[in-house]
Amino acid sequence: MSSFNLAVLISGSGSNQQAVMDAVADGRIPNAKVAVVISSREGVYGLERAENRDIPNMVIDRHDIATLLETLETYDINGIVLAGYLTVLPQDVVDKYDKKIINIHPALLPMFGGKGFYGIRVHKAVLASGVPYTGATAHIVDRGVDTGAALIRGVVRVLEDDTAESLQKRVLEVEHRVLVQAVKALAESRVEELMKKPMVLVDDKDKKGVFEFAQGLIELGKVLTAEDEKSI
Ligand code: GRF
């Protein structure tokens, strides 16, 4: 069976890209292949990560739509993963790869999402708001900013002594898990199913705390622990 070819788009360190490459390499995302890594910026560590795995990688200027579309064609791409790609995809690309593009956002969308909500600013806003939980959301990319249907969320409790940096670190770890599950669903044609009934990953250690919070979560999607995650 031919593999499900993924293009991973980045702009920075690429830890989410690494999580996807690792999951593909160790078989957690079967029948998939990271065919190409495309960065919007020169000299980012994500390009080195691709090089280390002998994965074709390149920089394409974010305005160069023609080259981006051509490259996606060249590598026969079936699905696109935005892994810290800090620019809005051109509409031509979004339209052509409808429901085949996944983004990872460091908050529980629709909260703390949209224009201006990226990087550490998201976590600063979460702390300033006083919400007890935050997390990460893997969602379908549509024509808006962070407005596409959520597929999988991962919940992270905000701790008393959290700084934006400490929160960002814990959320990033959950992003990796959430993104891997969403890319697996994409490769296994389960996106429509998740769009109808998203999933929510919670941390076993925090199970009691989260289930107190679960009433709100239930509306967000089916609550699963890491244990359930293995059998998704
Ligand atoms: C992640 O926090 C992601 O949610 C956001 O940008 C960051 C990228 O981090 N869109 P990395 O490059 O994957 O380490």
Side-chain angles (χ1 to χ4, degrees), residues 12-17 83-86 103-106 168 172 175-176:
S13 68
S15 71
N16 276 288
Q17 162 206 341
Y85 189 64
L86 288 182
N103 181 47
I104 182 73
H105 181 77
Q168 180 174 44
L172 191 57
E175 287 178 50
H176 299 160

Side-chain angles (χ1 to χ4, degrees), residues 65-81:
I65 304 172
T67 304
L68 179 54
L69 281 168
E70 202 180 291
T71 305
L72 295 171
E73 277 294 317
T74 303
Y75 287 93
D76 188 21
I77 295 305
N78 307 110
I80 299 171
V81 181

Side-chain angles (χ1 to χ4, degrees), residues 36-69:
V36 64
V37 169
I38 298 169
S39 176
S40 60
R41 289 181 182 162
E42 295 284 350
V44 294
Y45 185 43
L47 290 167
E48 209 175 307
R49 291 179 192 266
E51 210 53 41
N52 294 342
R53 289 287 174 89
D54 298 323
I55 292 175
N57 58 90
M58 66 205 64
V59 178
I60 298 180
D61 182 280
R62 63 203 185 103
H63 301 299
D64 188 350
I65 304 172
T67 304
L68 179 54
L69 281 168

Side-chain angles (χ1 to χ4, degrees), residues 201-222:
L201 299 183
V202 297
D203 182 336
D204 300 59
K205 290 191 295 298
D206 190 21
K207 201 165 172 179
K208 180 178 173 307
V210 167
F211 279 96
E212 279 157 22
F213 181 65
Q215 301 319 318
L217 278 180
I218 303 290
E219 281 87 67
L220 289 175
K222 187 175 164 199

